[in-house]
Amino acid sequence: MKQIITLSQKEEWISYVQRSVNCDFYHSWNYHALEHTGIPLLFVEDSGEDFIAFPFVKRRIPETDYYDLTSVYGYCGPISNKPFTDLSEELLLSFRDAFLVFLKEEQIISVFSRLHPFFNQHALLSKFGGVWENGQVVAIDLTIPLDQQESRYQDRVIRKIRQLKQRGFYVKEATTEEDIQTFTEIYTANMMRLDASDCYMFDQEYFVRLLRCEEYDARLLFVYDETDLPVCGATIVSKNQIMQAHLLGTRKEFLHDSPAKLLTHEITLLGRAQGVKYYNLGGGLGFKRDSLFEWKSHFSKVTFDYQSWRYIADQATYDTLLVQMDIDPESNVDFFPLYRSQLQRV
């Protein structure tokens, strides 16, 4: 049976996520409630015994009567009460057929979803096609002995961590409203310095709601210098033995000290105490092997393939939109849907 669950159906949304065998905080009701670019929804196909649920954000395509679906920032994709490889072929096909009908009824032209690098979601999406290779993410394996983990750090990382500790830098969890305000200021200044797009900008209310949720374990950690000034901070979120490096910022005047290296190491110690298996550092900017990716790989050589789902539901209308916006359909710009490449929206 098909269901379209909205944010107003909080208990139903939370129930499906809680019953899923593989899920992350990115699937949660609360995380979707923070979304402001469109209307969050959870598409569900439930056989009574098993189910498949897929969260999306529905957006109107400007100056048209059409819509498209995208995913929240982070690693999302479909979830289920069983591994997708253990679901019946009947349910997989039933989900596909119901979803295709939904796309047609709602005049949805295309679907984009960032997939989760730790979950095998291909058994379902192979019924549609459109899985796109985006690169890799770097993760630190917390199941190996700590000395083995540290032995995989680049020598410069080890030296920097020791130097910072010797100078009196330390890491501590921050919990007050004032702490959240301080992090918001550090993070915002960091993003402005990098000339980041609007999708990477978040206000204090966002961080308060992110950190005060009971659907997952979210924490704010700071690196303090010898004068007890917070110089670097990160919001980290744990669920189902996976810890995510969600958002991080460093004061400009302390960038040369690389306090994020100390912070990253100390976060892994917290993860071990929580029984976390992997601390996911993410990938490079645009998931390319750039300087950011290299920085992360100095902690670990463990990588996971990161993919996205890019599905065109109505090819004729999709092509018409490209013509109307004077966009070359053969463009090699890595952006989907391509008609949004000029709208500066994700």
Side-chain angles (χ1 to χ4, degrees), residues 28-53:
S28 70
W29 178 92
N30 186 72
Y31 191 64
H32 279 79
L34 298 174
E35 180 61 43
H36 56 80
T37 63
I39 302 172
L41 61 89
L42 186 68
F43 183 93
V44 178
E45 180 68 13
D46 194 330
S47 68
E49 179 179 353
D50 299 318
F51 70 84
I52 298 170

PDB file of all heavy atoms in Angstrom, residues 28-53:
ATOM      1  N   SER A  28      15.770  11.226   9.438  1.00  0.00           N
ATOM      2  CA  SER A  28      14.875  11.517  10.556  1.00  0.00           C
ATOM      3  C   SER A  28      13.853  12.604  10.247  1.00  0.00           C
ATOM      4  O   SER A  28      14.041  13.455   9.380  1.00  0.00           O
ATOM      5  CB  SER A  28      15.692  11.921  11.781  1.00  0.00           C
ATOM      6  OG  SER A  28      16.284  13.195  11.588  1.00  0.00           O
ATOM      7  N   TRP A  29      12.766  12.571  11.027  1.00  0.00           N
ATOM      8  CA  TRP A  29      11.738  13.610  10.921  1.00  0.00           C
ATOM      9  C   TRP A  29      12.328  14.967  11.263  1.00  0.00           C
ATOM     10  O   TRP A  29      12.088  15.953  10.563  1.00  0.00           O
ATOM     11  CB  TRP A  29      10.572  13.284  11.854  1.00  0.00           C
ATOM     12  CG  TRP A  29       9.500  14.334  11.844  1.00  0.00           C
ATOM     13  CD1 TRP A  29       8.396  14.364  11.047  1.00  0.00           C
ATOM     14  CD2 TRP A  29       9.444  15.526  12.647  1.00  0.00           C
ATOM     15  NE1 TRP A  29       7.659  15.489  11.294  1.00  0.00           N
ATOM     16  CE2 TRP A  29       8.269  16.229  12.281  1.00  0.00           C
ATOM     17  CE3 TRP A  29      10.263  16.056  13.629  1.00  0.00           C
ATOM     18  CZ2 TRP A  29       7.906  17.431  12.872  1.00  0.00           C
ATOM     19  CZ3 TRP A  29       9.911  17.266  14.232  1.00  0.00           C
ATOM     20  CH2 TRP A  29       8.746  17.938  13.849  1.00  0.00           C
ATOM     21  N   ASN A  30      13.086  15.032  12.350  1.00  0.00           N
ATOM     22  CA  ASN A  30      13.622  16.314  12.808  1.00  0.00           C
ATOM     23  C   ASN A  30      14.546  16.941  11.766  1.00  0.00           C
ATOM     24  O   ASN A  30      14.481  18.155  11.516  1.00  0.00           O
ATOM     25  CB  ASN A  30      14.382  16.142  14.119  1.00  0.00           C
ATOM     26  CG  ASN A  30      14.842  17.476  14.700  1.00  0.00           C
ATOM     27  OD1 ASN A  30      14.052  18.259  15.193  1.00  0.00           O
ATOM     28  ND2 ASN A  30      16.144  17.743  14.621  1.00  0.00           N
ATOM     29  N   TYR A  31      15.394  16.143  11.156  1.00  0.00           N
ATOM     30  CA  TYR A  31      16.320  16.698  10.167  1.00  0.00           C
ATOM     31  C   TYR A  31      15.561  17.236   8.965  1.00  0.00           C
ATOM     32  O   TYR A  31      15.914  18.282   8.410  1.00  0.00           O
ATOM     33  CB  TYR A  31      17.338  15.640   9.744  1.00  0.00           C
ATOM     34  CG  TYR A  31      18.480  16.207   8.925  1.00  0.00           C
ATOM     35  CD1 TYR A  31      19.366  17.122   9.474  1.00  0.00           C
ATOM     36  CD2 TYR A  31      18.658  15.846   7.596  1.00  0.00           C
ATOM     37  CE1 TYR A  31      20.409  17.652   8.736  1.00  0.00           C
ATOM     38  CE2 TYR A  31      19.693  16.368   6.851  1.00  0.00           C
ATOM     39  CZ  TYR A  31      20.562  17.280   7.420  1.00  0.00           C
ATOM     40  OH  TYR A  31      21.591  17.818   6.676  1.00  0.00           O
ATOM     41  N   HIS A  32      14.515  16.548   8.576  1.00  0.00           N
ATOM     42  CA  HIS A  32      13.703  17.048   7.465  1.00  0.00           C
ATOM     43  C   HIS A  32      12.888  18.275   7.872  1.00  0.00           C
ATOM     44  O   HIS A  32      12.591  19.127   7.034  1.00  0.00           O
ATOM     45  CB  HIS A  32      12.790  15.949   6.930  1.00  0.00           C
ATOM     46  CG  HIS A  32      13.483  15.006   5.992  1.00  0.00           C
ATOM     47  ND1 HIS A  32      14.299  13.984   6.437  1.00  0.00           N
ATOM     48  CD2 HIS A  32      13.522  14.959   4.638  1.00  0.00           C
ATOM     49  CE1 HIS A  32      14.791  13.343   5.395  1.00  0.00           C
ATOM     50  NE2 HIS A  32      14.340  13.918   4.290  1.00  0.00           N
ATOM     51  N   ALA A  33      12.550  18.374   9.149  1.00  0.00           N
ATOM     52  CA  ALA A  33      11.818  19.552   9.620  1.00  0.00           C
ATOM     53  C   ALA A  33      12.672  20.809   9.564  1.00  0.00           C
ATOM     54  O   ALA A  33      12.149  21.928   9.584  1.00  0.00           O
ATOM     55  CB  ALA A  33      11.318  19.324  11.049  1.00  0.00           C
ATOM     56  N   LEU A  34      13.984  20.646   9.459  1.00  0.00           N
ATOM     57  CA  LEU A  34      14.895  21.789   9.329  1.00  0.00           C
ATOM     58  C   LEU A  34      14.991  22.282   7.889  1.00  0.00           C
ATOM     59  O   LEU A  34      15.568  23.339   7.633  1.00  0.00           O
ATOM     60  CB  LEU A  34      16.302  21.395   9.817  1.00  0.00           C
ATOM     61  CG  LEU A  34      16.435  20.987  11.282  1.00  0.00           C
ATOM     62  CD1 LEU A  34      17.855  20.496  11.565  1.00  0.00           C
ATOM     63  CD2 LEU A  34      16.090  22.142  12.201  1.00  0.00           C
ATOM     64  N   GLU A  35      14.442  21.520   6.970  1.00  0.00           N
ATOM     65  CA  GLU A  35      14.546  21.837   5.547  1.00  0.00           C
ATOM     66  C   GLU A  35      13.640  23.014   5.187  1.00  0.00           C
ATOM     67  O   GLU A  35      12.502  23.118   5.655  1.00  0.00           O
ATOM     68  CB  GLU A  35      14.151  20.614   4.715  1.00  0.00           C
ATOM     69  CG  GLU A  35      14.220  20.795   3.221  1.00  0.00           C
ATOM     70  CD  GLU A  35      15.624  21.121   2.742  1.00  0.00           C
ATOM     71  OE1 GLU A  35      16.586  20.497   3.230  1.00  0.00           O
ATOM     72  OE2 GLU A  35      15.754  22.012   1.876  1.00  0.00           O
ATOM     73  N   HIS A  36      14.140  23.925   4.346  1.00  0.00           N
ATOM     74  CA  HIS A  36      13.341  25.104   3.984  1.00  0.00           C
ATOM     75  C   HIS A  36      13.327  25.369   2.476  1.00  0.00           C
ATOM     76  O   HIS A  36      12.809  26.387   2.040  1.00  0.00           O
ATOM     77  CB  HIS A  36      13.873  26.342   4.706  1.00  0.00           C
ATOM     78  CG  HIS A  36      15.327  26.619   4.462  1.00  0.00           C
ATOM     79  ND1 HIS A  36      15.778  27.237   3.327  1.00  0.00           N
ATOM     80  CD2 HIS A  36      16.423  26.331   5.210  1.00  0.00           C
ATOM     81  CE1 HIS A  36      17.099  27.326   3.377  1.00  0.00           C
ATOM     82  NE2 HIS A  36      17.520  26.788   4.499  1.00  0.00           N
ATOM     83  N   THR A  37      13.877  24.450   1.683  1.00  0.00           N
ATOM     84  CA  THR A  37      13.896  24.680   0.231  1.00  0.00           C
ATOM     85  C   THR A  37      12.685  24.093  -0.473  1.00  0.00           C
ATOM     86  O   THR A  37      12.485  24.321  -1.664  1.00  0.00           O
ATOM     87  CB  THR A  37      15.171  24.085  -0.390  1.00  0.00           C
ATOM     88  OG1 THR A  37      15.170  22.656  -0.209  1.00  0.00           O
ATOM     89  CG2 THR A  37      16.420  24.666   0.243  1.00  0.00           C
ATOM     90  N   GLY A  38      11.894  23.315   0.256  1.00  0.00           N
ATOM     91  CA  GLY A  38      10.736  22.689  -0.358  1.00  0.00           C
ATOM     92  C   GLY A  38       9.891  21.996   0.692  1.00  0.00           C
ATOM     93  O   GLY A  38       9.988  22.286   1.887  1.00  0.00           O
ATOM     94  N   ILE A  39       9.064  21.062   0.245  1.00  0.00           N
ATOM     95  CA  ILE A  39       8.148  20.343   1.137  1.00  0.00           C
ATOM     96  C   ILE A  39       8.671  18.930   1.366  1.00  0.00           C
ATOM     97  O   ILE A  39       8.669  18.107   0.442  1.00  0.00           O
ATOM     98  CB  ILE A  39       6.736  20.286   0.536  1.00  0.00           C
ATOM     99  CG1 ILE A  39       6.206  21.697   0.274  1.00  0.00           C
ATOM    100  CG2 ILE A  39       5.789  19.518   1.452  1.00  0.00           C
ATOM    101  CD1 ILE A  39       4.892  21.721  -0.490  1.00  0.00           C
ATOM    102  N   PRO A  40       9.116  18.594   2.572  1.00  0.00           N
ATOM    103  CA  PRO A  40       9.586  17.232   2.850  1.00  0.00           C
ATOM    104  C   PRO A  40       8.434  16.229   2.824  1.00  0.00           C
ATOM    105  O   PRO A  40       7.313  16.532   3.257  1.00  0.00           O
ATOM    106  CB  PRO A  40      10.192  17.339   4.257  1.00  0.00           C
ATOM    107  CG  PRO A  40      10.480  18.797   4.447  1.00  0.00           C
ATOM    108  CD  PRO A  40       9.371  19.497   3.702  1.00  0.00           C
ATOM    109  N   LEU A  41       8.720  15.040   2.322  1.00  0.00           N
ATOM    110  CA  LEU A  41       7.734  13.961   2.335  1.00  0.00           C
ATOM    111  C   LEU A  41       8.463  12.628   2.424  1.00  0.00           C
ATOM    112  O   LEU A  41       9.632  12.514   2.049  1.00  0.00           O
ATOM    113  CB  LEU A  41       6.846  14.014   1.095  1.00  0.00           C
ATOM    114  CG  LEU A  41       7.502  13.877  -0.283  1.00  0.00           C
ATOM    115  CD1 LEU A  41       7.606  12.413  -0.714  1.00  0.00           C
ATOM    116  CD2 LEU A  41       6.746  14.680  -1.332  1.00  0.00           C
ATOM    117  N   LEU A  42       7.760  11.634   2.937  1.00  0.00           N
ATOM    118  CA  LEU A  42       8.287  10.276   3.020  1.00  0.00           C
ATOM    119  C   LEU A  42       7.389   9.383   2.187  1.00  0.00           C
ATOM    120  O   LEU A  42       6.224   9.162   2.538  1.00  0.00           O
ATOM    121  CB  LEU A  42       8.320   9.800   4.482  1.00  0.00           C
ATOM    122  CG  LEU A  42       8.971   8.441   4.746  1.00  0.00           C
ATOM    123  CD1 LEU A  42      10.471   8.505   4.469  1.00  0.00           C
ATOM    124  CD2 LEU A  42       8.722   7.991   6.192  1.00  0.00           C
ATOM    125  N   PHE A  43       7.925   8.893   1.071  1.00  0.00           N
ATOM    126  CA  PHE A  43       7.153   7.995   0.203  1.00  0.00           C
ATOM    127  C   PHE A  43       7.331   6.572   0.721  1.00  0.00           C
ATOM    128  O   PHE A  43       8.451   6.089   0.868  1.00  0.00           O
ATOM    129  CB  PHE A  43       7.629   8.096  -1.245  1.00  0.00           C
ATOM    130  CG  PHE A  43       6.833   7.256  -2.197  1.00  0.00           C
ATOM    131  CD1 PHE A  43       5.757   7.795  -2.874  1.00  0.00           C
ATOM    132  CD2 PHE A  43       7.150   5.922  -2.400  1.00  0.00           C
ATOM    133  CE1 PHE A  43       5.004   7.017  -3.748  1.00  0.00           C
ATOM    134  CE2 PHE A  43       6.408   5.131  -3.265  1.00  0.00           C
ATOM    135  CZ  PHE A  43       5.334   5.680  -3.941  1.00  0.00           C
ATOM    136  N   VAL A  44       6.212   5.891   0.990  1.00  0.00           N
ATOM    137  CA  VAL A  44       6.265   4.556   1.587  1.00  0.00           C
ATOM    138  C   VAL A  44       5.453   3.578   0.757  1.00  0.00           C
ATOM    139  O   VAL A  44       4.321   3.873   0.351  1.00  0.00           O
ATOM    140  CB  VAL A  44       5.706   4.574   3.031  1.00  0.00           C
ATOM    141  CG1 VAL A  44       5.716   3.162   3.621  1.00  0.00           C
ATOM    142  CG2 VAL A  44       6.507   5.530   3.903  1.00  0.00           C
ATOM    143  N   GLU A  45       6.024   2.416   0.536  1.00  0.00           N
ATOM    144  CA  GLU A  45       5.287   1.269   0.010  1.00  0.00           C
ATOM    145  C   GLU A  45       5.346   0.193   1.084  1.00  0.00           C
ATOM    146  O   GLU A  45       6.426  -0.324   1.407  1.00  0.00           O
ATOM    147  CB  GLU A  45       5.892   0.777  -1.303  1.00  0.00           C
ATOM    148  CG  GLU A  45       5.182  -0.426  -1.915  1.00  0.00           C
ATOM    149  CD  GLU A  45       3.765  -0.118  -2.416  1.00  0.00           C
ATOM    150  OE1 GLU A  45       3.399   1.079  -2.531  1.00  0.00           O
ATOM    151  OE2 GLU A  45       3.014  -1.075  -2.702  1.00  0.00           O
ATOM    152  N   ASP A  46       4.197  -0.139   1.668  1.00  0.00           N
ATOM    153  CA  ASP A  46       4.127  -1.033   2.817  1.00  0.00           C
ATOM    154  C   ASP A  46       3.264  -2.235   2.464  1.00  0.00           C
ATOM    155  O   ASP A  46       2.078  -2.094   2.137  1.00  0.00           O
ATOM    156  CB  ASP A  46       3.532  -0.278   4.017  1.00  0.00           C
ATOM    157  CG  ASP A  46       3.724  -1.010   5.324  1.00  0.00           C
ATOM    158  OD1 ASP A  46       3.770  -2.253   5.312  1.00  0.00           O
ATOM    159  OD2 ASP A  46       3.814  -0.341   6.370  1.00  0.00           O
ATOM    160  N   SER A  47       3.876  -3.432   2.541  1.00  0.00           N
ATOM    161  CA  SER A  47       3.139  -4.656   2.215  1.00  0.00           C
ATOM    162  C   SER A  47       2.415  -5.228   3.426  1.00  0.00           C
ATOM    163  O   SER A  47       1.692  -6.223   3.303  1.00  0.00           O
ATOM    164  CB  SER A  47       4.097  -5.716   1.666  1.00  0.00           C
ATOM    165  OG  SER A  47       4.981  -6.177   2.688  1.00  0.00           O
ATOM    166  N   GLY A  48       2.617  -4.611   4.592  1.00  0.00           N
ATOM    167  CA  GLY A  48       2.047  -5.153   5.815  1.00  0.00           C
ATOM    168  C   GLY A  48       3.085  -5.909   6.610  1.00  0.00           C
ATOM    169  O   GLY A  48       3.166  -5.808   7.834  1.00  0.00           O
ATOM    170  N   GLU A  49       3.933  -6.642   5.905  1.00  0.00           N
ATOM    171  CA  GLU A  49       5.031  -7.383   6.548  1.00  0.00           C
ATOM    172  C   GLU A  49       6.343  -6.621   6.409  1.00  0.00           C
ATOM    173  O   GLU A  49       7.111  -6.492   7.364  1.00  0.00           O
ATOM    174  CB  GLU A  49       5.161  -8.771   5.926  1.00  0.00           C
ATOM    175  CG  GLU A  49       6.293  -9.597   6.515  1.00  0.00           C
ATOM    176  CD  GLU A  49       6.380 -10.974   5.884  1.00  0.00           C
ATOM    177  OE1 GLU A  49       5.491 -11.326   5.087  1.00  0.00           O
ATOM    178  OE2 GLU A  49       7.344 -11.698   6.185  1.00  0.00           O
ATOM    179  N   ASP A  50       6.607  -6.104   5.222  1.00  0.00           N
ATOM    180  CA  ASP A  50       7.821  -5.346   4.942  1.00  0.00           C
ATOM    181  C   ASP A  50       7.456  -4.000   4.334  1.00  0.00           C
ATOM    182  O   ASP A  50       6.342  -3.812   3.823  1.00  0.00           O
ATOM    183  CB  ASP A  50       8.744  -6.115   3.978  1.00  0.00           C
ATOM    184  CG  ASP A  50       9.191  -7.448   4.546  1.00  0.00           C
ATOM    185  OD1 ASP A  50       9.526  -7.493   5.746  1.00  0.00           O
ATOM    186  OD2 ASP A  50       9.184  -8.442   3.789  1.00  0.00           O
ATOM    187  N   PHE A  51       8.407  -3.077   4.353  1.00  0.00           N
ATOM    188  CA  PHE A  51       8.156  -1.763   3.764  1.00  0.00           C
ATOM    189  C   PHE A  51       9.436  -1.194   3.176  1.00  0.00           C
ATOM    190  O   PHE A  51      10.550  -1.581   3.524  1.00  0.00           O
ATOM    191  CB  PHE A  51       7.600  -0.782   4.812  1.00  0.00           C
ATOM    192  CG  PHE A  51       8.596  -0.364   5.868  1.00  0.00           C
ATOM    193  CD1 PHE A  51       9.487   0.683   5.636  1.00  0.00           C
ATOM    194  CD2 PHE A  51       8.660  -1.017   7.085  1.00  0.00           C
ATOM    195  CE1 PHE A  51      10.418   1.060   6.596  1.00  0.00           C
ATOM    196  CE2 PHE A  51       9.570  -0.646   8.053  1.00  0.00           C
ATOM    197  CZ  PHE A  51      10.459   0.396   7.801  1.00  0.00           C
ATOM    198  N   ILE A  52       9.243  -0.252   2.265  1.00  0.00           N
ATOM    199  CA  ILE A  52      10.323   0.569   1.719  1.00  0.00           C
ATOM    200  C   ILE A  52       9.888   2.016   1.907  1.00  0.00           C
ATOM    201  O   ILE A  52       8.761   2.380   1.564  1.00  0.00           O
ATOM    202  CB  ILE A  52      10.568   0.285   0.225  1.00  0.00           C
ATOM    203  CG1 ILE A  52      10.987  -1.169   0.013  1.00  0.00           C
ATOM    204  CG2 ILE A  52      11.633   1.229  -0.331  1.00  0.00           C
ATOM    205  CD1 ILE A  52      11.016  -1.587  -1.451  1.00  0.00           C
ATOM    206  N   ALA A  53      10.768   2.835   2.462  1.00  0.00           N
ATOM    207  CA  ALA A  53      10.470   4.256   2.672  1.00  0.00           C
ATOM    208  C   ALA A  53      11.584   5.086   2.058  1.00  0.00           C
ATOM    209  O   ALA A  53      12.760   4.741   2.176  1.00  0.00           O
ATOM    210  CB  ALA A  53      10.318   4.560   4.161  1.00  0.00           C
TER     211      ALA A  53
END
